[in-house]
PDB file of all heavy atoms in Angstrom:
ATOM      1  N   ALA A 947       0.894  -1.267  -0.082  1.00  0.00           N
ATOM      2  CA  ALA A 947       0.073  -0.103   0.028  1.00  0.00           C
ATOM      3  C   ALA A 947       0.908   1.285  -0.091  1.00  0.00           C
ATOM      4  O   ALA A 947       0.501   2.239  -0.591  1.00  0.00           O
ATOM      5  CB  ALA A 947      -0.947  -0.032   1.147  1.00  0.00           C
ATOM      6  N   GLU A 948       2.107   1.098   0.564  1.00  0.00           N
ATOM      7  CA  GLU A 948       2.880   2.181   0.599  1.00  0.00           C
ATOM      8  C   GLU A 948       3.936   2.220  -0.542  1.00  0.00           C
ATOM      9  O   GLU A 948       4.426   3.362  -0.975  1.00  0.00           O
ATOM     10  CB  GLU A 948       3.780   2.249   2.007  1.00  0.00           C
ATOM     11  CG  GLU A 948       2.927   2.432   3.216  1.00  0.00           C
ATOM     12  CD  GLU A 948       2.236   3.796   3.287  1.00  0.00           C
ATOM     13  OE1 GLU A 948       2.934   4.798   2.845  1.00  0.00           O
ATOM     14  OE2 GLU A 948       1.183   3.920   3.670  1.00  0.00           O
ATOM     15  N   ASP A 949       4.324   1.027  -1.040  1.00  0.00           N
ATOM     16  CA  ASP A 949       5.354   0.945  -2.248  1.00  0.00           C
ATOM     17  C   ASP A 949       5.086  -0.491  -2.821  1.00  0.00           C
ATOM     18  O   ASP A 949       5.302  -1.495  -2.174  1.00  0.00           O
ATOM     19  CB  ASP A 949       6.662   0.900  -1.448  1.00  0.00           C
ATOM     20  CG  ASP A 949       7.811   0.967  -2.496  1.00  0.00           C
ATOM     21  OD1 ASP A 949       7.591   0.461  -3.663  1.00  0.00           O
ATOM     22  OD2 ASP A 949       8.971   1.536  -2.086  1.00  0.00           O
ATOM     23  N   PRO A 950       4.539  -0.344  -4.023  1.00  0.00           N
ATOM     24  CA  PRO A 950       4.092  -1.606  -4.694  1.00  0.00           C
ATOM     25  C   PRO A 950       5.314  -2.498  -5.259  1.00  0.00           C
ATOM     26  O   PRO A 950       4.939  -3.527  -5.919  1.00  0.00           O
ATOM     27  CB  PRO A 950       3.144  -1.174  -5.756  1.00  0.00           C
ATOM     28  CG  PRO A 950       3.718   0.102  -6.045  1.00  0.00           C
ATOM     29  CD  PRO A 950       4.171   0.800  -4.735  1.00  0.00           C
ATOM     30  N   ARG A 951       6.437  -2.067  -5.099  1.00  0.00           N
ATOM     31  CA  ARG A 951       7.609  -2.815  -5.760  1.00  0.00           C
ATOM     32  C   ARG A 951       7.828  -4.172  -5.140  1.00  0.00           C
ATOM     33  O   ARG A 951       7.314  -4.402  -3.965  1.00  0.00           O
ATOM     34  CB  ARG A 951       8.868  -1.989  -5.580  1.00  0.00           C
ATOM     35  CG  ARG A 951       8.923  -0.669  -6.398  1.00  0.00           C
ATOM     36  CD  ARG A 951      10.211   0.026  -6.164  1.00  0.00           C
ATOM     37  NE  ARG A 951      10.406   0.388  -4.776  1.00  0.00           N
ATOM     38  CZ  ARG A 951      11.631   0.663  -4.131  1.00  0.00           C
ATOM     39  NH1 ARG A 951      12.706   0.593  -4.823  1.00  0.00           N
ATOM     40  NH2 ARG A 951      11.641   0.985  -2.944  1.00  0.00           N
ATOM     41  N   PRO A 952       8.493  -5.001  -5.809  1.00  0.00           N
ATOM     42  CA  PRO A 952       8.869  -6.361  -5.232  1.00  0.00           C
ATOM     43  C   PRO A 952       9.443  -6.253  -3.718  1.00  0.00           C
ATOM     44  O   PRO A 952      10.048  -5.290  -3.386  1.00  0.00           O
ATOM     45  CB  PRO A 952       9.877  -6.947  -6.266  1.00  0.00           C
ATOM     46  CG  PRO A 952       9.447  -6.265  -7.456  1.00  0.00           C
ATOM     47  CD  PRO A 952       9.182  -4.849  -7.132  1.00  0.00           C
ATOM     48  N   LEU A 953       9.364  -7.317  -2.981  1.00  0.00           N
ATOM     49  CA  LEU A 953       9.804  -7.413  -1.662  1.00  0.00           C
ATOM     50  C   LEU A 953      11.323  -7.356  -1.517  1.00  0.00           C
ATOM     51  O   LEU A 953      12.046  -7.108  -0.633  1.00  0.00           O
ATOM     52  CB  LEU A 953       9.282  -8.643  -0.939  1.00  0.00           C
ATOM     53  CG  LEU A 953       7.841  -8.702  -0.850  1.00  0.00           C
ATOM     54  CD1 LEU A 953       7.383  -9.878  -0.065  1.00  0.00           C
ATOM     55  CD2 LEU A 953       7.161  -7.334  -0.224  1.00  0.00           C
ATOM     56  N   SER A 954      12.080  -7.618  -2.661  1.00  0.00           N
ATOM     57  CA  SER A 954      13.539  -7.604  -2.706  1.00  0.00           C
ATOM     58  C   SER A 954      13.966  -6.160  -2.767  1.00  0.00           C
ATOM     59  O   SER A 954      15.188  -5.994  -2.477  1.00  0.00           O
ATOM     60  CB  SER A 954      13.957  -8.344  -4.004  1.00  0.00           C
ATOM     61  OG  SER A 954      13.378  -7.856  -5.183  1.00  0.00           O
ATOM     62  N   ASP A 955      13.117  -5.184  -3.088  1.00  0.00           N
ATOM     63  CA  ASP A 955      13.618  -3.805  -3.086  1.00  0.00           C
ATOM     64  C   ASP A 955      13.469  -3.244  -1.784  1.00  0.00           C
ATOM     65  O   ASP A 955      12.343  -3.270  -1.226  1.00  0.00           O
ATOM     66  CB  ASP A 955      12.516  -3.034  -4.140  1.00  0.00           C
ATOM     67  CG  ASP A 955      12.781  -3.403  -5.652  1.00  0.00           C
ATOM     68  OD1 ASP A 955      13.518  -4.316  -5.795  1.00  0.00           O
ATOM     69  OD2 ASP A 955      12.211  -2.901  -6.408  1.00  0.00           O
ATOM     70  N   ALA A 956      14.615  -2.642  -1.326  1.00  0.00           N
ATOM     71  CA  ALA A 956      14.602  -2.081   0.080  1.00  0.00           C
ATOM     72  C   ALA A 956      13.790  -0.945   0.050  1.00  0.00           C
ATOM     73  O   ALA A 956      13.873  -0.011  -0.842  1.00  0.00           O
ATOM     74  CB  ALA A 956      16.196  -1.721   0.289  1.00  0.00           C
ATOM     75  N   ARG A 957      13.044  -0.579   1.148  1.00  0.00           N
ATOM     76  CA  ARG A 957      12.207   0.481   1.492  1.00  0.00           C
ATOM     77  C   ARG A 957      12.906   1.437   2.250  1.00  0.00           C
ATOM     78  O   ARG A 957      13.705   1.170   3.099  1.00  0.00           O
ATOM     79  CB  ARG A 957      10.975   0.089   2.142  1.00  0.00           C
ATOM     80  CG  ARG A 957       9.757  -0.279   1.328  1.00  0.00           C
ATOM     81  CD  ARG A 957       9.944  -1.493   0.394  1.00  0.00           C
ATOM     82  NE  ARG A 957       8.642  -1.944  -0.204  1.00  0.00           N
ATOM     83  CZ  ARG A 957       8.607  -2.765  -1.052  1.00  0.00           C
ATOM     84  NH1 ARG A 957       9.657  -3.524  -1.417  1.00  0.00           N
ATOM     85  NH2 ARG A 957       7.410  -3.173  -1.600  1.00  0.00           N
ATOM     86  N   THR A 958      12.714   2.712   1.965  1.00  0.00           N
ATOM     87  CA  THR A 958      13.119   3.689   2.929  1.00  0.00           C
ATOM     88  C   THR A 958      12.330   3.697   4.196  1.00  0.00           C
ATOM     89  O   THR A 958      11.280   3.006   4.213  1.00  0.00           O
ATOM     90  CB  THR A 958      13.100   5.272   2.346  1.00  0.00           C
ATOM     91  OG1 THR A 958      11.800   5.283   1.765  1.00  0.00           O
ATOM     92  CG2 THR A 958      14.064   5.299   1.144  1.00  0.00           C
ATOM     93  N   ALA A 959      12.829   4.215   5.212  1.00  0.00           N
ATOM     94  CA  ALA A 959      12.185   3.978   6.618  1.00  0.00           C
ATOM     95  C   ALA A 959      10.685   4.258   6.615  1.00  0.00           C
ATOM     96  O   ALA A 959       9.856   3.559   7.289  1.00  0.00           O
ATOM     97  CB  ALA A 959      12.904   4.829   7.687  1.00  0.00           C
ATOM     98  N   GLU A 960      10.328   5.438   5.898  1.00  0.00           N
ATOM     99  CA  GLU A 960       8.903   5.890   6.116  1.00  0.00           C
ATOM    100  C   GLU A 960       7.988   4.975   5.211  1.00  0.00           C
ATOM    101  O   GLU A 960       6.802   5.155   5.316  1.00  0.00           O
ATOM    102  CB  GLU A 960       8.822   7.277   5.492  1.00  0.00           C
ATOM    103  CG  GLU A 960       8.920   7.646   4.077  1.00  0.00           C
ATOM    104  CD  GLU A 960      10.254   7.657   3.553  1.00  0.00           C
ATOM    105  OE1 GLU A 960      11.300   7.401   4.457  1.00  0.00           O
ATOM    106  OE2 GLU A 960      10.557   8.015   2.255  1.00  0.00           O
ATOM    107  N   ARG A 961       8.500   3.976   4.480  1.00  0.00           N
ATOM    108  CA  ARG A 961       7.671   3.113   3.573  1.00  0.00           C
ATOM    109  C   ARG A 961       7.688   1.793   4.149  1.00  0.00           C
ATOM    110  O   ARG A 961       7.203   0.855   3.460  1.00  0.00           O
ATOM    111  CB  ARG A 961       8.018   3.231   2.164  1.00  0.00           C
ATOM    112  CG  ARG A 961       7.893   4.610   1.516  1.00  0.00           C
ATOM    113  CD  ARG A 961       8.037   4.524  -0.009  1.00  0.00           C
ATOM    114  NE  ARG A 961       7.873   5.804  -0.523  1.00  0.00           N
ATOM    115  CZ  ARG A 961       6.680   6.325  -0.847  1.00  0.00           C
ATOM    116  NH1 ARG A 961       5.466   5.601  -0.727  1.00  0.00           N
ATOM    117  NH2 ARG A 961       6.455   7.510  -1.551  1.00  0.00           N
ATOM    118  N   ARG A 962       8.255   1.478   5.247  1.00  0.00           N
ATOM    119  CA  ARG A 962       8.228   0.261   5.869  1.00  0.00           C
ATOM    120  C   ARG A 962       7.052  -0.045   6.669  1.00  0.00           C
ATOM    121  O   ARG A 962       6.324   0.988   7.128  1.00  0.00           O
ATOM    122  CB  ARG A 962       9.489   0.068   6.764  1.00  0.00           C
ATOM    123  CG  ARG A 962      10.709   0.162   5.965  1.00  0.00           C
ATOM    124  CD  ARG A 962      12.022   0.057   6.885  1.00  0.00           C
ATOM    125  NE  ARG A 962      13.203   0.295   6.104  1.00  0.00           N
ATOM    126  CZ  ARG A 962      14.523   0.316   6.591  1.00  0.00           C
ATOM    127  NH1 ARG A 962      14.628   0.148   7.905  1.00  0.00           N
ATOM    128  NH2 ARG A 962      15.434   0.670   5.816  1.00  0.00           N
ATOM    129  N   VAL A 963       6.653  -1.247   6.856  1.00  0.00           N
ATOM    130  CA  VAL A 963       5.467  -1.590   7.786  1.00  0.00           C
ATOM    131  C   VAL A 963       5.945  -1.430   9.238  1.00  0.00           C
ATOM    132  O   VAL A 963       6.969  -1.776   9.622  1.00  0.00           O
ATOM    133  CB  VAL A 963       5.016  -2.908   7.450  1.00  0.00           C
ATOM    134  CG1 VAL A 963       5.806  -4.059   7.947  1.00  0.00           C
ATOM    135  CG2 VAL A 963       3.529  -3.183   8.220  1.00  0.00           C
ATOM    136  N   VAL A 964       4.973  -0.895  10.078  1.00  0.00           N
ATOM    137  CA  VAL A 964       5.368  -0.666  11.564  1.00  0.00           C
ATOM    138  C   VAL A 964       5.146  -2.075  12.173  1.00  0.00           C
ATOM    139  O   VAL A 964       3.977  -2.639  12.107  1.00  0.00           O
ATOM    140  CB  VAL A 964       4.473   0.454  12.136  1.00  0.00           C
ATOM    141  CG1 VAL A 964       4.678   0.529  13.534  1.00  0.00           C
ATOM    142  CG2 VAL A 964       4.651   1.662  11.379  1.00  0.00           C
ATOM    143  N   GLY A 965       6.186  -2.561  12.793  1.00  0.00           N
ATOM    144  CA  GLY A 965       5.961  -3.856  13.464  1.00  0.00           C
ATOM    145  C   GLY A 965       7.134  -3.977  14.538  1.00  0.00           C
ATOM    146  O   GLY A 965       8.047  -3.286  14.513  1.00  0.00           O
ATOM    147  N   THR A 966       7.089  -5.097  15.308  1.00  0.00           N
ATOM    148  CA  THR A 966       7.907  -5.549  16.432  1.00  0.00           C
ATOM    149  C   THR A 966       8.838  -6.632  15.881  1.00  0.00           C
ATOM    150  O   THR A 966       8.787  -7.001  14.742  1.00  0.00           O
ATOM    151  CB  THR A 966       7.250  -5.955  17.583  1.00  0.00           C
ATOM    152  OG1 THR A 966       6.637  -7.194  17.313  1.00  0.00           O
ATOM    153  CG2 THR A 966       6.187  -4.987  18.080  1.00  0.00           C
ATOM    154  N   CYS A 967       9.632  -6.961  16.731  1.00  0.00           N
ATOM    155  CA  CYS A 967      10.622  -8.097  16.373  1.00  0.00           C
ATOM    156  C   CYS A 967       9.835  -9.352  16.050  1.00  0.00           C
ATOM    157  O   CYS A 967      10.332 -10.118  15.156  1.00  0.00           O
ATOM    158  CB  CYS A 967      11.493  -8.513  17.590  1.00  0.00           C
ATOM    159  SG  CYS A 967      10.566  -8.743  19.173  1.00  0.00           S
ATOM    160  N   ARG A 968       8.615  -9.435  16.433  1.00  0.00           N
ATOM    161  CA  ARG A 968       7.765 -10.563  16.058  1.00  0.00           C
ATOM    162  C   ARG A 968       7.332 -10.559  14.593  1.00  0.00           C
ATOM    163  O   ARG A 968       7.291 -11.398  13.868  1.00  0.00           O
ATOM    164  CB  ARG A 968       6.474 -10.563  16.905  1.00  0.00           C
ATOM    165  CG  ARG A 968       5.529 -11.599  16.507  1.00  0.00           C
ATOM    166  CD  ARG A 968       4.296 -11.065  15.631  1.00  0.00           C
ATOM    167  NE  ARG A 968       3.503 -12.063  15.172  1.00  0.00           N
ATOM    168  CZ  ARG A 968       2.614 -11.932  14.073  1.00  0.00           C
ATOM    169  NH1 ARG A 968       2.622 -10.883  13.476  1.00  0.00           N
ATOM    170  NH2 ARG A 968       1.827 -12.961  13.709  1.00  0.00           N
ATOM    171  N   HIS A 969       7.204  -9.343  14.063  1.00  0.00           N
ATOM    172  CA  HIS A 969       6.946  -8.994  12.688  1.00  0.00           C
ATOM    173  C   HIS A 969       8.083  -9.388  11.778  1.00  0.00           C
ATOM    174  O   HIS A 969       7.906  -9.989  10.697  1.00  0.00           O
ATOM    175  CB  HIS A 969       6.387  -7.683  12.459  1.00  0.00           C
ATOM    176  CG  HIS A 969       5.125  -7.341  13.051  1.00  0.00           C
ATOM    177  ND1 HIS A 969       5.015  -7.159  14.489  1.00  0.00           N
ATOM    178  CD2 HIS A 969       3.867  -7.389  12.642  1.00  0.00           C
ATOM    179  CE1 HIS A 969       3.723  -6.944  14.722  1.00  0.00           C
ATOM    180  NE2 HIS A 969       2.944  -7.138  13.756  1.00  0.00           N
ATOM    181  N   PHE A 970       9.346  -8.995  12.176  1.00  0.00           N
ATOM    182  CA  PHE A 970      10.474  -9.218  11.433  1.00  0.00           C
ATOM    183  C   PHE A 970      10.696 -10.888  11.416  1.00  0.00           C
ATOM    184  O   PHE A 970      10.710 -11.427  10.262  1.00  0.00           O
ATOM    185  CB  PHE A 970      11.760  -8.764  12.193  1.00  0.00           C
ATOM    186  CG  PHE A 970      12.103  -7.338  11.949  1.00  0.00           C
ATOM    187  CD1 PHE A 970      11.496  -6.442  13.056  1.00  0.00           C
ATOM    188  CD2 PHE A 970      13.003  -6.896  11.074  1.00  0.00           C
ATOM    189  CE1 PHE A 970      11.829  -5.068  12.759  1.00  0.00           C
ATOM    190  CE2 PHE A 970      13.120  -5.589  10.923  1.00  0.00           C
ATOM    191  CZ  PHE A 970      12.624  -4.611  11.794  1.00  0.00           C
ATOM    192  N   ALA A 971      10.415 -11.559  12.420  1.00  0.00           N
ATOM    193  CA  ALA A 971      10.496 -13.042  12.483  1.00  0.00           C
ATOM    194  C   ALA A 971       9.332 -13.728  11.723  1.00  0.00           C
ATOM    195  O   ALA A 971       9.707 -14.756  11.054  1.00  0.00           O
ATOM    196  CB  ALA A 971      10.423 -13.560  14.028  1.00  0.00           C
ATOM    197  N   THR A 972       8.163 -13.253  11.838  1.00  0.00           N
ATOM    198  CA  THR A 972       6.988 -13.797  11.249  1.00  0.00           C
ATOM    199  C   THR A 972       7.170 -13.637   9.705  1.00  0.00           C
ATOM    200  O   THR A 972       6.892 -14.641   8.900  1.00  0.00           O
ATOM    201  CB  THR A 972       5.701 -13.346  11.719  1.00  0.00           C
ATOM    202  OG1 THR A 972       5.681 -13.683  13.100  1.00  0.00           O
ATOM    203  CG2 THR A 972       4.484 -13.976  11.019  1.00  0.00           C
ATOM    204  N   LEU A 973       7.491 -12.457   9.252  1.00  0.00           N
ATOM    205  CA  LEU A 973       7.614 -12.279   7.780  1.00  0.00           C
ATOM    206  C   LEU A 973       8.732 -13.098   7.195  1.00  0.00           C
ATOM    207  O   LEU A 973       8.579 -13.840   6.112  1.00  0.00           O
ATOM    208  CB  LEU A 973       7.881 -10.720   7.514  1.00  0.00           C
ATOM    209  CG  LEU A 973       7.853 -10.373   6.036  1.00  0.00           C
ATOM    210  CD1 LEU A 973       6.517 -10.883   5.257  1.00  0.00           C
ATOM    211  CD2 LEU A 973       8.112  -8.879   5.713  1.00  0.00           C
ATOM    212  N   ALA A 974       9.843 -13.199   7.921  1.00  0.00           N
ATOM    213  CA  ALA A 974      11.010 -14.007   7.428  1.00  0.00           C
ATOM    214  C   ALA A 974      10.609 -15.495   7.384  1.00  0.00           C
ATOM    215  O   ALA A 974      10.871 -16.186   6.442  1.00  0.00           O
ATOM    216  CB  ALA A 974      12.259 -13.709   8.421  1.00  0.00           C
ATOM    217  N   THR A 975       9.978 -16.006   8.412  1.00  0.00           N
ATOM    218  CA  THR A 975       9.373 -17.365   8.441  1.00  0.00           C
ATOM    219  C   THR A 975       8.501 -17.688   7.139  1.00  0.00           C
ATOM    220  O   THR A 975       8.696 -18.699   6.515  1.00  0.00           O
ATOM    221  CB  THR A 975       8.703 -17.545   9.760  1.00  0.00           C
ATOM    222  OG1 THR A 975       9.525 -17.458  10.871  1.00  0.00           O
ATOM    223  CG2 THR A 975       8.147 -19.008   9.742  1.00  0.00           C
ATOM    224  N   ALA A 976       7.556 -16.772   6.902  1.00  0.00           N
ATOM    225  CA  ALA A 976       6.790 -16.858   5.768  1.00  0.00           C
ATOM    226  C   ALA A 976       7.565 -16.982   4.506  1.00  0.00           C
ATOM    227  O   ALA A 976       7.185 -17.866   3.673  1.00  0.00           O
ATOM    228  CB  ALA A 976       5.660 -15.794   5.617  1.00  0.00           C
ATOM    229  N   LEU A 977       8.492 -16.139   4.238  1.00  0.00           N
ATOM    230  CA  LEU A 977       9.345 -16.150   2.988  1.00  0.00           C
ATOM    231  C   LEU A 977      10.202 -17.292   2.949  1.00  0.00           C
ATOM    232  O   LEU A 977      10.415 -17.846   1.754  1.00  0.00           O
ATOM    233  CB  LEU A 977      10.096 -14.740   2.987  1.00  0.00           C
ATOM    234  CG  LEU A 977       9.199 -13.537   2.703  1.00  0.00           C
ATOM    235  CD1 LEU A 977      10.080 -12.277   2.928  1.00  0.00           C
ATOM    236  CD2 LEU A 977       8.398 -13.554   1.608  1.00  0.00           C
ATOM    237  N   LEU A 978      10.723 -17.764   4.131  1.00  0.00           N
ATOM    238  CA  LEU A 978      11.537 -18.901   4.002  1.00  0.00           C
ATOM    239  C   LEU A 978      10.803 -20.223   3.768  1.00  0.00           C
ATOM    240  O   LEU A 978      11.128 -21.030   2.943  1.00  0.00           O
ATOM    241  CB  LEU A 978      12.307 -19.208   5.396  1.00  0.00           C
ATOM    242  CG  LEU A 978      13.385 -18.183   5.701  1.00  0.00           C
ATOM    243  CD1 LEU A 978      13.817 -18.255   7.131  1.00  0.00           C
ATOM    244  CD2 LEU A 978      14.666 -18.535   4.866  1.00  0.00           C
TER     245      LEU A 978
END
């Protein structure tokens, strides 16, 4: 919704999703 590019493209800070360490871990788990 903030940046429609592929997930391999690094986002600048203001275009990242707001989340905790749990969101880092859960998204990485999903992609692995």
Side-chain angles (χ1 to χ4, degrees):
E948 296 297 320
D949 186 334
R951 293 179 300 158
L953 301 182
S954 56
D955 292 4
R957 267 64 168 176
T958 53
E960 75 276 7
R961 295 189 179 277
R962 298 175 185 177
V963 67
V964 179
T966 68
C967 52
R968 176 264 176 197
H969 293 77
F970 283 92
T972 299
L973 184 57
T975 297
L977 295 173
L978 286 165

